[in-house]
Amino acid sequence: MGLEEKLPSGFVLTTVEQAAGWVRKASVFPATFGLACCAIEMMTTGAGRYDLARFGMEVFRGSPRQADLMIVAGRVSQKMAPVLRQVYDQMPNPKWVISMGVCASSGGMFNNYAIVQGVDHIVPVDIYLPGCPPRPEMLLDAILKLHQKIQDGKLGVNAEEAAREAEEAALKALPLIEMKGLLR
Amino acid sequence: MSDHTHGEGQNGNAVPAPRDTGGEVIRVRKGMFGANNGGDTSGYGGLIRTVTLPGASSRPYGGWFDEVADELEGALEEQDLLPENAIEKTVVDRDELTFHIAREHLLQVARTLRDDPALRFELCTGVSGVHFPGDKGRELHAVYHLRSLTHGRLIRLEVSAPDSDPHIPSLVEVYPTNDWHEREAYDFFGLIFDGHPALTRIMMPDDWQGFPQRKDYPLGGIAVEYKGAQIPAPDQRRSYS
Amino acid sequence: MTTPHATPRATTEGTVYTVTGGDWDEVVESAVKSDDERIIVNMGPQHPSTHGVLRLILEIDGETVTEARCGIGYLHTGIEKNLEFRNWTQGTTFVTRMDYLTPFFNETAYCLGVEKLLGIEDQVPDRATVIRVLLMELNRLSSHLVCIATGGMELGATTIMIYGFRDRELVLDLFELFTGLRMNHAFVRPGGLAQDLPPGAVDQLREFIKTMKKNLPEYDKLATGNPIFKARMKDVGYLDLAGCMALGATGPVLRSAGLPNDLRKTDPYCGYETYDFEVPTADTCDSYGRFLIRLEEMRQSLRIIEQCIERLEPGPVMVADKKIAWPAQLALGPDGLGNSLDHIRNIMGTSMEALIHHFKLVTEGFRVPAGQTYTAVESPKGELGVHVVSDGGTRPYRVHFRDPSFTNLQAMAAMCEGGQVADVIVAVASIDPVMGGVDR
């Protein structure tokens, strides 16, 4: 007794993009990629109380070749960076990256020789998730936002067009240092 | 501020160890706020302070400290090693006993400390490197903490080496647990432990240049950008100490 | 490749091997002789069963591990160096992130060291010390729960993992109530604590103890007598007392070899000598013994927590010396915990001296007399030692953590060589290394 029962003549028109996005967002397989403190919160999210299974994501894949979501959970050291990139390269397309926690997003409080100052130096990031570490609810929120992003994903020429637009917008964007306003 | 705790606590005996004057000068601090290029308007630009670590103590050290020192000296004499050659100085500070050991005798002293039934320091809790660039000729210190489970005691050994010749004998054959600890100290401070079975980098990537926890190695942070402003990395900022 | 049982034949599509039957004894014999089953397996740093970003390099002959080596440093964070550029109080924020499963042990060990350098050990209020003990024992519970949970998960027993995380959540709820954070608290400060326990804390603690007393036996029911669990754990990861002593292993690894060495008893700190508890040991030297020890330690921790509740007398939680005590007064505002507005109004409006003092202490920090000290606490993994050196400044000159995970992980090779590949996982899980602590 859902939407499907109310459809006129039993069929519905949509685009391939939307259908593909809808299917993809409901079957995201995260890779088992824990680094530091955030990995513990990621495991907590998978465990009983927060229960990632509600979003069809409880199966963390041990092999990156079976995964399409990498949750970079924790600080990325200079020594780990090549490994992380290799894991990312091993994942089949389409793939997404959540940068979980401030250390992965920007280096956080570890502004020093050992830590990569933001995992976006190595892999493209879809969602930045702040917090040190983020609560499981925050990770769930990031995952839901990522689901929406996957749902809205483009295919083929539309994808190329979207990428081009994004690049143009980024080139035109005002650098942070030239922005005015509150210091943040 | 710390004087009133000498010789108390686990040591039982409340006799503070008499202190020779003159400790180890590790640094001379000049000015304030780290502004050495004339930008300091605080009026403290001419401030000069020497930083001195606690100096050698003389007997009695108090409590079981004397017993350990006696036993160690006796055991070294039995091995035809003059204690004053091996033990450069003994420091009792904050209820802790430190032997400064000449590096060429470190291995023998450690073996004695481990094997002598009256000493029996079975557990070494690793080595911690400390870099004092201002302590000329003794820039690199390796600090070992030895714990005796038999007697419930804890002592510290301190060995120093100059930056130009950063060699210290390895303690791995006496305390195998020091294997990784010495690799770590090598990785961070460039201390070369002679006789270590495989002295390679452990924390940093194998091709890393430099020894990152030395004082002359920068922190390596980057400036953090905000809207219309930049905050320099922590080691580039004005400092108070 | 040419053997009597596989003859090559060239075809247009490449060489085709025809494998014929043969006497299996011959096959096995030649396999042993040729020894081409000897392979090097690189396990990690990204591997679901290595307990973090640990890299194991295993030389394998068939299913037998002939040589095992560890590669670490994949989580090296440079915390010890970062500390040298922050003041003494800010240091707790860094050290709490070292071994992120035992934040209160890191903080307490560091703060005990700083207090010793300052010479104010006797001035730390009793209530602060009792709360430190309370938090540490709660933390011991949560750390052991994660050890058992992830250890179970690495064996493929996901139910144990769900159980462990279920109970850990209960501990984290308490942490959140007390400190405002689930992890990385920076709650223990040099001189005492960041703030007092909130109202209702004791009731929640009593409730928690009741729940845990009901939940802890479930691990016994689920795992302790479970034949599969026992078969995987017994006699695996064997390390006897001599091995432990030589390799410097402490904590449950050492106690599983029969030596009841626990710093809470042998070198007490924070008044542990006045608490009534036992140090469990095992004589099996194996993973199963370590599992049983962890279970028993959790029960003992509950005992200590009960005693802590009785000792909680009202009083200050920070030293009275205003030259050291952090001047902030926290209060709950509409946007969460922060500086008390009344306090700020007071010092801003009435006392210029208080304002200057506040500013100096917060921006510059207090000075610590030159010297060095080593303080050790018994973390859930073993002896957590902190070597703190001060040059008399407002920042640490050098802080070195002797992390038990780091030292105990050295024993991995001794435990695994000669065993099966699958047992490597069990042995590593029984050491319970946390890479944040190993690499710092």
Side-chain angles (χ1 to χ4, degrees), chain C residues 206-223:
Chain C
R206 292 225 167 87
E207 195 64 31
F208 167 77
I209 292 170
K210 216 186 284 171
T211 319
M212 279 311 284
K213 283 197 169 154
K214 187 168 69 66
N215 287 357
L216 275 183
E218 290 183 6
Y219 294 91
D220 282 327
K221 284 183 198 155
L222 182 67

PDB file of all heavy atoms in Angstrom, chain C residues 206-223:
ATOM      1  N   ARG C 206      24.503   4.903  39.187  1.00  0.00           N
ATOM      2  CA  ARG C 206      23.914   3.750  39.869  1.00  0.00           C
ATOM      3  C   ARG C 206      23.103   2.919  38.875  1.00  0.00           C
ATOM      4  O   ARG C 206      23.178   1.694  38.857  1.00  0.00           O
ATOM      5  CB  ARG C 206      23.023   4.236  41.011  1.00  0.00           C
ATOM      6  CG  ARG C 206      23.806   4.886  42.138  1.00  0.00           C
ATOM      7  CD  ARG C 206      23.323   4.387  43.504  1.00  0.00           C
ATOM      8  NE  ARG C 206      24.295   4.785  44.528  1.00  0.00           N
ATOM      9  CZ  ARG C 206      24.265   5.972  45.147  1.00  0.00           C
ATOM     10  NH1 ARG C 206      23.319   6.853  44.845  1.00  0.00           N
ATOM     11  NH2 ARG C 206      25.175   6.264  46.054  1.00  0.00           N
ATOM     12  N   GLU C 207      22.363   3.643  38.042  1.00  0.00           N
ATOM     13  CA  GLU C 207      21.550   2.964  37.022  1.00  0.00           C
ATOM     14  C   GLU C 207      22.449   2.153  36.079  1.00  0.00           C
ATOM     15  O   GLU C 207      22.164   1.007  35.733  1.00  0.00           O
ATOM     16  CB  GLU C 207      20.778   4.033  36.242  1.00  0.00           C
ATOM     17  CG  GLU C 207      19.636   3.514  35.414  1.00  0.00           C
ATOM     18  CD  GLU C 207      18.548   2.892  36.265  1.00  0.00           C
ATOM     19  OE1 GLU C 207      18.340   3.332  37.419  1.00  0.00           O
ATOM     20  OE2 GLU C 207      17.925   1.948  35.778  1.00  0.00           O
ATOM     21  N   PHE C 208      23.567   2.787  35.726  1.00  0.00           N
ATOM     22  CA  PHE C 208      24.512   2.143  34.807  1.00  0.00           C
ATOM     23  C   PHE C 208      25.088   0.870  35.419  1.00  0.00           C
ATOM     24  O   PHE C 208      25.178  -0.168  34.764  1.00  0.00           O
ATOM     25  CB  PHE C 208      25.634   3.133  34.478  1.00  0.00           C
ATOM     26  CG  PHE C 208      26.825   2.519  33.812  1.00  0.00           C
ATOM     27  CD1 PHE C 208      26.795   2.191  32.476  1.00  0.00           C
ATOM     28  CD2 PHE C 208      27.982   2.250  34.533  1.00  0.00           C
ATOM     29  CE1 PHE C 208      27.886   1.613  31.868  1.00  0.00           C
ATOM     30  CE2 PHE C 208      29.081   1.670  33.934  1.00  0.00           C
ATOM     31  CZ  PHE C 208      29.023   1.350  32.595  1.00  0.00           C
ATOM     32  N   ILE C 209      25.463   0.967  36.702  1.00  0.00           N
ATOM     33  CA  ILE C 209      26.053  -0.211  37.347  1.00  0.00           C
ATOM     34  C   ILE C 209      25.056  -1.355  37.356  1.00  0.00           C
ATOM     35  O   ILE C 209      25.397  -2.509  37.089  1.00  0.00           O
ATOM     36  CB  ILE C 209      26.514   0.151  38.774  1.00  0.00           C
ATOM     37  CG1 ILE C 209      27.690   1.111  38.706  1.00  0.00           C
ATOM     38  CG2 ILE C 209      26.894  -1.090  39.550  1.00  0.00           C
ATOM     39  CD1 ILE C 209      28.074   1.710  40.031  1.00  0.00           C
ATOM     40  N   LYS C 210      23.788  -0.986  37.626  1.00  0.00           N
ATOM     41  CA  LYS C 210      22.750  -2.021  37.637  1.00  0.00           C
ATOM     42  C   LYS C 210      22.649  -2.689  36.259  1.00  0.00           C
ATOM     43  O   LYS C 210      22.615  -3.913  36.145  1.00  0.00           O
ATOM     44  CB  LYS C 210      21.408  -1.374  38.033  1.00  0.00           C
ATOM     45  CG  LYS C 210      20.522  -2.270  38.878  1.00  0.00           C
ATOM     46  CD  LYS C 210      19.164  -1.643  39.103  1.00  0.00           C
ATOM     47  CE  LYS C 210      19.163  -0.530  40.136  1.00  0.00           C
ATOM     48  NZ  LYS C 210      17.865   0.188  40.162  1.00  0.00           N
ATOM     49  N   THR C 211      22.643  -1.863  35.207  1.00  0.00           N
ATOM     50  CA  THR C 211      22.519  -2.414  33.857  1.00  0.00           C
ATOM     51  C   THR C 211      23.723  -3.274  33.511  1.00  0.00           C
ATOM     52  O   THR C 211      23.583  -4.357  32.939  1.00  0.00           O
ATOM     53  CB  THR C 211      22.406  -1.272  32.827  1.00  0.00           C
ATOM     54  OG1 THR C 211      21.560  -0.272  33.371  1.00  0.00           O
ATOM     55  CG2 THR C 211      21.847  -1.766  31.520  1.00  0.00           C
ATOM     56  N   MET C 212      24.909  -2.767  33.853  1.00  0.00           N
ATOM     57  CA  MET C 212      26.113  -3.517  33.488  1.00  0.00           C
ATOM     58  C   MET C 212      26.176  -4.844  34.227  1.00  0.00           C
ATOM     59  O   MET C 212      26.653  -5.834  33.693  1.00  0.00           O
ATOM     60  CB  MET C 212      27.371  -2.692  33.800  1.00  0.00           C
ATOM     61  CG  MET C 212      27.713  -1.660  32.761  1.00  0.00           C
ATOM     62  SD  MET C 212      27.727  -2.282  31.083  1.00  0.00           S
ATOM     63  CE  MET C 212      29.250  -3.159  31.041  1.00  0.00           C
ATOM     64  N   LYS C 213      25.698  -4.859  35.465  1.00  0.00           N
ATOM     65  CA  LYS C 213      25.731  -6.131  36.203  1.00  0.00           C
ATOM     66  C   LYS C 213      24.829  -7.152  35.532  1.00  0.00           C
ATOM     67  O   LYS C 213      25.044  -8.358  35.650  1.00  0.00           O
ATOM     68  CB  LYS C 213      25.311  -5.891  37.649  1.00  0.00           C
ATOM     69  CG  LYS C 213      26.438  -5.273  38.449  1.00  0.00           C
ATOM     70  CD  LYS C 213      26.219  -5.398  39.928  1.00  0.00           C
ATOM     71  CE  LYS C 213      27.489  -5.003  40.666  1.00  0.00           C
ATOM     72  NZ  LYS C 213      27.229  -4.516  42.004  1.00  0.00           N
ATOM     73  N   LYS C 214      23.806  -6.646  34.865  1.00  0.00           N
ATOM     74  CA  LYS C 214      22.928  -7.554  34.131  1.00  0.00           C
ATOM     75  C   LYS C 214      23.570  -7.949  32.789  1.00  0.00           C
ATOM     76  O   LYS C 214      23.434  -9.083  32.349  1.00  0.00           O
ATOM     77  CB  LYS C 214      21.589  -6.852  33.883  1.00  0.00           C
ATOM     78  CG  LYS C 214      20.514  -7.733  33.280  1.00  0.00           C
ATOM     79  CD  LYS C 214      19.161  -7.057  33.338  1.00  0.00           C
ATOM     80  CE  LYS C 214      19.053  -5.857  32.402  1.00  0.00           C
ATOM     81  NZ  LYS C 214      19.119  -6.170  30.979  1.00  0.00           N
ATOM     82  N   ASN C 215      24.275  -6.994  32.171  1.00  0.00           N
ATOM     83  CA  ASN C 215      24.788  -7.241  30.821  1.00  0.00           C
ATOM     84  C   ASN C 215      26.091  -8.037  30.795  1.00  0.00           C
ATOM     85  O   ASN C 215      26.318  -8.800  29.868  1.00  0.00           O
ATOM     86  CB  ASN C 215      25.013  -5.914  30.090  1.00  0.00           C
ATOM     87  CG  ASN C 215      23.706  -5.277  29.675  1.00  0.00           C
ATOM     88  OD1 ASN C 215      22.647  -5.855  29.884  1.00  0.00           O
ATOM     89  ND2 ASN C 215      23.776  -4.101  29.096  1.00  0.00           N
ATOM     90  N   LEU C 216      26.958  -7.818  31.786  1.00  0.00           N
ATOM     91  CA  LEU C 216      28.262  -8.475  31.737  1.00  0.00           C
ATOM     92  C   LEU C 216      28.159  -9.997  31.678  1.00  0.00           C
ATOM     93  O   LEU C 216      28.897 -10.627  30.918  1.00  0.00           O
ATOM     94  CB  LEU C 216      29.134  -8.033  32.912  1.00  0.00           C
ATOM     95  CG  LEU C 216      29.916  -6.734  32.714  1.00  0.00           C
ATOM     96  CD1 LEU C 216      30.795  -6.456  33.903  1.00  0.00           C
ATOM     97  CD2 LEU C 216      30.762  -6.773  31.457  1.00  0.00           C
ATOM     98  N   PRO C 217      27.260 -10.633  32.455  1.00  0.00           N
ATOM     99  CA  PRO C 217      27.175 -12.095  32.341  1.00  0.00           C
ATOM    100  C   PRO C 217      26.788 -12.575  30.946  1.00  0.00           C
ATOM    101  O   PRO C 217      27.055 -13.724  30.603  1.00  0.00           O
ATOM    102  CB  PRO C 217      26.083 -12.465  33.365  1.00  0.00           C
ATOM    103  CG  PRO C 217      26.073 -11.350  34.323  1.00  0.00           C
ATOM    104  CD  PRO C 217      26.415 -10.131  33.545  1.00  0.00           C
ATOM    105  N   GLU C 218      26.218 -11.692  30.141  1.00  0.00           N
ATOM    106  CA  GLU C 218      25.836 -12.124  28.793  1.00  0.00           C
ATOM    107  C   GLU C 218      27.059 -12.465  27.956  1.00  0.00           C
ATOM    108  O   GLU C 218      26.985 -13.296  27.057  1.00  0.00           O
ATOM    109  CB  GLU C 218      25.013 -11.024  28.108  1.00  0.00           C
ATOM    110  CG  GLU C 218      23.636 -10.868  28.726  1.00  0.00           C
ATOM    111  CD  GLU C 218      22.794  -9.832  28.020  1.00  0.00           C
ATOM    112  OE1 GLU C 218      23.239  -9.310  26.985  1.00  0.00           O
ATOM    113  OE2 GLU C 218      21.697  -9.545  28.520  1.00  0.00           O
ATOM    114  N   TYR C 219      28.202 -11.811  28.245  1.00  0.00           N
ATOM    115  CA  TYR C 219      29.415 -12.154  27.501  1.00  0.00           C
ATOM    116  C   TYR C 219      29.860 -13.561  27.872  1.00  0.00           C
ATOM    117  O   TYR C 219      30.346 -14.311  27.031  1.00  0.00           O
ATOM    118  CB  TYR C 219      30.515 -11.138  27.790  1.00  0.00           C
ATOM    119  CG  TYR C 219      30.187  -9.770  27.276  1.00  0.00           C
ATOM    120  CD1 TYR C 219      29.529  -8.853  28.076  1.00  0.00           C
ATOM    121  CD2 TYR C 219      30.484  -9.420  25.971  1.00  0.00           C
ATOM    122  CE1 TYR C 219      29.200  -7.606  27.588  1.00  0.00           C
ATOM    123  CE2 TYR C 219      30.158  -8.173  25.484  1.00  0.00           C
ATOM    124  CZ  TYR C 219      29.512  -7.270  26.302  1.00  0.00           C
ATOM    125  OH  TYR C 219      29.176  -6.046  25.816  1.00  0.00           O
ATOM    126  N   ASP C 220      29.685 -13.890  29.156  1.00  0.00           N
ATOM    127  CA  ASP C 220      30.011 -15.251  29.571  1.00  0.00           C
ATOM    128  C   ASP C 220      29.136 -16.247  28.846  1.00  0.00           C
ATOM    129  O   ASP C 220      29.599 -17.249  28.325  1.00  0.00           O
ATOM    130  CB  ASP C 220      29.823 -15.392  31.081  1.00  0.00           C
ATOM    131  CG  ASP C 220      30.982 -14.789  31.848  1.00  0.00           C
ATOM    132  OD1 ASP C 220      32.111 -14.855  31.323  1.00  0.00           O
ATOM    133  OD2 ASP C 220      30.762 -14.255  32.940  1.00  0.00           O
ATOM    134  N   LYS C 221      27.831 -15.927  28.812  1.00  0.00           N
ATOM    135  CA  LYS C 221      26.900 -16.858  28.169  1.00  0.00           C
ATOM    136  C   LYS C 221      27.201 -16.980  26.683  1.00  0.00           C
ATOM    137  O   LYS C 221      27.117 -18.055  26.110  1.00  0.00           O
ATOM    138  CB  LYS C 221      25.460 -16.357  28.350  1.00  0.00           C
ATOM    139  CG  LYS C 221      24.906 -16.582  29.727  1.00  0.00           C
ATOM    140  CD  LYS C 221      23.456 -16.131  29.779  1.00  0.00           C
ATOM    141  CE  LYS C 221      23.016 -15.923  31.216  1.00  0.00           C
ATOM    142  NZ  LYS C 221      21.909 -14.967  31.305  1.00  0.00           N
ATOM    143  N   LEU C 222      27.558 -15.852  26.082  1.00  0.00           N
ATOM    144  CA  LEU C 222      27.738 -15.846  24.633  1.00  0.00           C
ATOM    145  C   LEU C 222      29.082 -16.442  24.230  1.00  0.00           C
ATOM    146  O   LEU C 222      29.158 -17.223  23.286  1.00  0.00           O
ATOM    147  CB  LEU C 222      27.632 -14.406  24.129  1.00  0.00           C
ATOM    148  CG  LEU C 222      27.744 -14.192  22.618  1.00  0.00           C
ATOM    149  CD1 LEU C 222      26.545 -14.796  21.926  1.00  0.00           C
ATOM    150  CD2 LEU C 222      27.826 -12.712  22.302  1.00  0.00           C
ATOM    151  N   ALA C 223      30.129 -16.083  24.952  1.00  0.00           N
ATOM    152  CA  ALA C 223      31.467 -16.380  24.454  1.00  0.00           C
ATOM    153  C   ALA C 223      32.270 -17.320  25.335  1.00  0.00           C
ATOM    154  O   ALA C 223      32.907 -18.240  24.833  1.00  0.00           O
ATOM    155  CB  ALA C 223      32.233 -15.070  24.286  1.00  0.00           C
TER     156      ALA C 223
END
